[in-house]
Structure formats: structure tokens, C-alpha cells
Amino acid sequence: MRRIDHFVNGKLLEGNSGRFGEVFDPNTGLVQAHVGLASAGEVQAAIASAAAAQPDWAATNPQRRARVMFEFKRLIERDMNALAELLSSEHGKIIADSKGDIQRGLEVIEFACGIPHVLKGEYTEGAGPGIDVYSMRQPLGVCAGITPFNFPAMIPMWMFGMAIACGNAFIVKPSERDPSVPLRLAELMIEAGLPPGVLNVVHGDKVAVDALLTHPDVRAISFVGSSDIAQYIYSTGAAHGKRVQAMGGAKNHGIVLPDADLDQVVKDLVGAAFGSAGERCMALPVVVPVGARTAGELRERLVEEAGKLRVGVSSDSGAHYGPVVTAAHRDKIKSYIQMGVEEGAELVVDGRELSLQGHEGGFFIGPSLFDHVKPAMRSYQEEIFGPVLQIVRAESFEEALSLPSQHQYGNGVAIFTRNGRAAREFAARVNVGMVGINVPIPVPVAYHTFGGWKRSAFGDVNQHGPEGMRFYTKVKTITARWPEGDVGDQSFVIPTMR
Ligand code: NAD
């Protein structure tokens, strides 16, 4: 059985805690590897290695740090196919989608290649007589990232790409369900010229996470995962004096106004709801058609399109999506479908019974479509994270606007319309962090910033873009006086500018 090790101080390190997690191949349902689940002691060793390596790395000038990022980008492009296959074999998403996962992370690395420019501070000459004021951005020290299963390449790169470019050392604690790609990325960073110890990977569960959350040498924690855990990470990390950003779950709505281009909307919705088996925090699992005519037409077309979807193994280039990550997750999705039925929603397409010939043990589930879903239903209020699309009918623009605005999650939302004024008003008023206008999955590009609102994110500073740089640095402001001659009398009054 393949063994997945930790990566500390530039070397693979066999786990010695005696605890292991099972890593499945979702296409077959079989265990394909065992991953070591770190003890607190193993995590402390990784932190010590990071702490020892960080000062020299911080003292390396930003242009040299950027050169490592340029080389890392080249290596990822060299290894793209192998990385995508590895990713698909543990996650289950189709190869093309795994390449997208890697590519979106790489775009943050490309942004990090510009770190010398992004890190430049501010300067005011002559703020007073002989006085200049300037600011500098300094790294925090050792930072850690705790990542979810659904983007095992992109999300670690969001985090360590920015943190390391800013001069920090980093520890990734990947999802124990698909840990191999983050490990491989760390090896490639070393191959790209990163000094050992600056990037470490420890695998594990709550034991490893708690060791990171409570250790005084870890200055900042970045987390992406489900909301209850995000809230725990945020409160525990903050109680231990750390800077924390903790992104949580989502339930993104697609609002369809009567004037929308329905041909385009249907294509967009099917891809955004069922792509990657719905295991995306920016998926669109809820569609809100405005008016009965829009709802009727949309439902009819969605039924037709759902029927054409092909679910297949991740290596099948003709498949639209592959298996979900584990049997437990598939069963959870099925239980939400059952809940929807019991709550009185109309199950128009039922994907629960799908079985793939020759792959009966795989974690496959077909697309499901509900109509007449009501806001009071638990199956609407909670995140399902599977290939399930729910139609919630609205009578008016205001009602449609209120649904995502009042939902507990506020990650992303999309509006489909040809009316610029309606779209503009929607974007301004909706109580959600990322908005798409005729864009179904509005994940901002790497040089902007990613983050939801409400229970989709705890903490104030977002992922990547300039906010990523702010998260991984602290600002120091220097007020310098080089007077000519006498500096004046002693003063007991706070200095002001007159
Ligand atoms: P998860 O919360 O189960 O796990 C995330 C990480 O937390 C993993 O590394 C896991 O090992 C760790 N963890 C799990 N239980 C823990 C505990 N009790 N204490 C400490 N650490 C714990 O999430 P997941 O199932 O891997 O990922 C799917 C979730 O992530 C979905 O809710 C999805 O919406 C969310 N997500 C959010 C975003 C975003 O940016 N908002 C992006 C991607 C995924």
C-alpha cells in the first residue's frame, strides 16, 4: 500500500504517530494509500524547521524570492499532466477540471511573481519640517494553511504562494482525503530553489490542526473548509493571538430575470451546478427564476440538459463530472436529497440510483433537480456540496434579491439579465461577497481578492490579490526627522502639524 509522508525541512518524513488515514480512489472505491496523521510533536518539529529557516528567507531580497516563484511556475507547467492525474485519482474530478484547479492556483503564483512591486511601501516627503514618513511591509514569521479536499492544488497555492513571496515560512496541513498534490507542490518548490524548511507539509486531522492553532510561533492561520470548523479555527486561533482568515461553506444562488438569455443561462447553470459533482464552494446549487413563465421554461430545459449529462471515471475525457470524494460524502448528499423529498420539494430528476457499469464500487451519483424548494426547508438552508440543483421560485426582483441576502451563507451569487440597471442595482444591494453578472462562477482573478460574507468567511482579510499580501505582512510606519539646526523647545504636548 502506498504511504503518504509529511514533508519537513525539505525532506519526506515518515509519520511516527501510529495513526493513519485512508485515501480512496473514488473511481473504484478502493483504498489506494495511507496517510500519516501527525501527532502534536510532529507538527512542532515542522514549526521548528520553519522558524529556523524563516529569518534568512525574509532577508532574501524580494526579487530573488520572486525568481523562485517564476521557476515554480515553470515546473508546474512541466508537470501539469502528472499533477492533474494525481489530483483526479484522489479527488475524483475529471482531468480537465483538475488542470483548471492547478491553473487557478498557478495564477496566484503568477501574481506572487510580482511581489517586489506589490510589497512596496508608502512614502511622504516633508510631512513636517525635516520630517519624512514611510511605511514598510514585513513578513509575520511562520504561517500555516489548513485546506479542504475540493481544491487540493489551488487553495494551498493561494496560501503558500502569497505567504512565501512575502518572506514568511509556511506549513500546509492539507485535507487528509486527497493529500498527495499539496505534498508534490512542496517538493516542486524545493526543486525551484526554495531553501529547505520554508515550506513544510504536515498531514493530519484535528490533532495537527490544534497543534498549529495553539503554538506561539505560528503567527497567522489561513483556513478554507466548512463553516463550523472555520468558526472554530477563527475563534481558537484568535484566542491564541494569531491573525486568522477562515473561509467557510456556501450556498450560491443564480438569479434569472425574465429577460435573460435562457440558452446561455441553461448552459451556465448546468456547468456551475453539476461541474466537479457540485463540490465547489463557488458552485451554483440554487437557481431563482423570477416569474412563473421563466420558472416553467427553465425547469423544462434543465430537465432536458440534466438528462444529457454523462457521469464517468475521472480519466474519461467525455465525462462531464466524476465521482465524489468519499462514500461518506456521497451518502450525505443522498440524505439531503431524501430530506428535500420529505420536506415537500418536488424531486424532478433523481440521481441517487446511478451506478456506473464496471465501476460499481466508485462513489458516483447522478445529477438531481428539485423544484418548488422553499426558504424554510433545511435542505435549502444547508450546504449539500453535491450535484443537486434546487429551483426556488420568486415572484419579483425584490424577492429574488432577498433570498441570497438573507441566507446564512454569502460566498457568491450570480444574476442573469440583459438589463444593466437591474444588474447594477442587484450588485450594489445584495448581501454577498462575490457577485457575477451573467457570470455563473464569479471567482475573482488572482490579482483581485477572494472572500465571501456572513458564515462563508470569518476574519476581515481575504485570500490572494493585494489583500493576500496584507494578510501575510505587518505594516511598520517610520517617522524620521533630520532637522537643520535647533529642533526647538522641549514639549509635553502631542505633536501635531500646524
Ligand atoms: P472540512 O471543514 O471538513 O475540512 C477542511 C480542513 O479542516 C481539512 O484540512 C480538515 O482536516 C480540517 N478539519 C476537519 N475537521 C476538523 C476539526 N474538527 N478540527 C480541526 N480541523 C478540522 O471541509 P472539506 O469537506 O474538506 O471541504 C469542503 C468545505 O469547504 C465545503 O463546506 C466548502 O464550501 C468549503 N470551501 C469553502 C471555500 C471558500 O473559499 N469559502 C473554498 C473551498 C471549499
Side-chain angles (χ1 to χ4, degrees):
M1 182 71 60
R2 186 163 65 94
R3 196 187 70 211
I4 301 170
D5 293 335
H6 311 300
F7 188 75
V8 177
N9 206 22
K11 288 198 261 327
L12 290 171
L13 189 72
E14 186 179 345
N16 62 16
S17 70
R19 296 192 308 125
F20 291 91
E22 293 181 324
V23 178
F24 291 91
D25 176 351
N27 294 292
T28 61
L30 300 174
V31 176
Q32 59 160 312
H34 284 139
V35 59
L37 302 177
S39 64
E42 289 172 299
V43 174
Q44 279 153 16
I47 297 171
S49 153
Q54 194 268 335
D56 280 354
W57 179 242
T60 304
N61 74 54
Q63 206 156 353
R64 280 176 176 249
R65 299 204 299 259
R67 281 187 198 132
V68 173
M69 295 297 166
F70 277 109
E71 179 61 3
F72 179 60
K73 170 177 153 59
R74 192 187 69 78
L75 296 177
I76 294 220
E77 283 162 351
R78 180 195 71 186
D79 289 0
M80 178 62 92
N81 289 338
L83 283 166
E85 279 168 25
L86 183 61
L87 197 161
S88 288
S89 77
E90 292 183 355
H91 178 287
K93 63 176 85 174
I94 55 173
I95 301 275
D97 204 27
S98 288
K99 288 185 179 172
D101 183 338
I102 298 163
Q103 182 58 34
R104 286 307 296 247
L106 204 47
E107 289 167 13
V108 174
I109 300 302
E110 288 167 348
F111 178 73
C113 288
I115 204 70
H117 174 70
V118 177
L119 273 179
K120 283 191 294 199
E122 296 168 327
Y123 195 96
T124 302
E125 182 196 8
I131 296 178
D132 302 322
V133 180
Y134 57 99
S135 66
M136 52 178 78
R137 289 256 163 205
Q138 296 189 327
L140 304 177
V142 177
C143 306
I146 299 150
T147 58
F149 83 84
N150 70 323
F151 280 102
M154 177 183 81
I155 292 176
M157 282 194 266
W158 280 2
M159 297 175 179
F160 75 67
M162 291 306 302
I164 288 176
C166 289
N168 299 286
F170 204 79
I171 297 161
V172 184
K173 203 305 283 170
S175 168
E176 61 275 41
R177 287 183 262 178
D178 48 8
S180 290
V181 167
L183 182 63
R184 189 73 200 111
L185 295 177
E187 289 177 326
L188 289 177
M189 281 290 280
I190 296 293
E191 191 181 339
L194 190 74
V198 178
L199 177 58
N200 305 279
V201 178
V202 283
H203 301 291
D205 52 11
K206 184 170 166 36
V207 172
V209 171
D210 285 347
L212 290 167
L213 284 176
T214 53
H215 197 291
D217 285 352
V218 176
R219 302 308 315 147
I221 299 269
S222 181
F223 172 88
V224 177
S226 53
S227 289
D228 287 348
I229 310 292
Q231 189 166 11
Y232 168 75
I233 300 282
Y234 182 70
S235 52
T236 311
H240 286 83
K242 300 180 198 325
R243 188 177 287 187
V244 188
Q245 53 178 192
M247 277 55 196
K251 190 92 177 192
N252 307 318
H253 294 53
I255 312 299
V256 184
L257 298 191
D259 67 350
D261 172 355
L262 275 200
D263 292 337
Q264 189 60 47
V265 169
V266 169
K267 276 191 212 145
D268 284 349
L269 277 177
V270 169
F274 301 119
S276 197
E279 293 171 317
R280 291 183 184 136
C281 68
M282 289 295 272
L284 269 190
V286 177
V287 56
V288 184
V290 175
R293 193 179 56 79
T294 315
E297 207 174 317
L298 199 61
R299 167 182 164 151
E300 199 175 306
R301 296 222 209 165
L302 285 172
V303 171
E304 197 183 318
E305 290 302 315
K308 291 186 203 158
L309 285 179
R310 182 160 147 206
V311 183
V313 288
S314 19
S315 57
D316 176 354
S317 58
H320 295 105
Y321 71 84
V324 298
V325 68
T326 55
H329 189 53
R330 182 195 53 202
D331 295 346
K332 183 177 151 202
I333 296 166
K334 285 188 179 179
S335 74
Y336 269 112
I337 296 173
Q338 186 56 29
M339 184 193 295
V341 171
E342 284 164 16
E343 288 177 317
E346 183 189 355
L347 184 58
V348 189
V349 178
D350 185 353
R352 285 177 292 183
E353 296 312 319
L354 178 114
S355 171
L356 210 64
Q357 219 183 352
H359 299 275
E360 288 77 6
F363 309 139
F364 296 95
I365 178 163
S368 292
L369 177 70
F370 275 105
D371 194 2
H372 300 290
V373 174
K374 303 288 178 208
M377 294 176 180
R378 215 183 115 197
S379 58
Y380 164 77
Q381 290 161 357
E382 296 179 6
E383 181 182 45
I384 300 175
F385 220 57
V388 183
L389 178 58
Q390 296 169 301
I391 301 176
V392 184
R393 295 174 175 231
E395 294 294 325
S396 64
F397 174 85
E398 286 300 325
E399 188 186 349
L401 172 68
S402 76
L403 285 163
S405 296
Q406 286 174 14
H407 202 279
Q408 62 163 331
Y409 295 118
N411 215 35
V413 69
I415 183 164
F416 299 93
T417 178
R418 290 184 169 99
N419 181 335
R421 212 164 69 188
R424 187 170 181 271
E425 183 177 347
F426 181 85
R429 288 176 57 199
V430 72
N431 187 17
V432 170
M434 291 175 280
V435 182
I437 297 176
N438 298 315
V439 170
I441 303 184
V443 177
V445 290
Y447 43 95
H448 283 261
T449 188
F450 182 104
W453 287 4
K454 297 180 280 182
R455 283 187 62 76
S456 293
F458 300 84
D460 302 310
V461 188
N462 279 351
Q463 301 277 351
H464 66 68
E467 291 242 325
M469 180 277 289
R470 281 182 210 115
F471 183 75
Y472 288 115
T473 56
K474 53 194 171 189
V475 68
K476 185 180 278 180
T477 310
I478 293 101
T479 304
R481 180 164 68 175
W482 298 101
E484 278 180 33
D486 189 4
V487 294
D489 296 333
Q490 192 178 38
S491 173
F492 295 94
V493 178
I494 180 123
T496 58
M497 287 301 157
R498 269 176 262 121

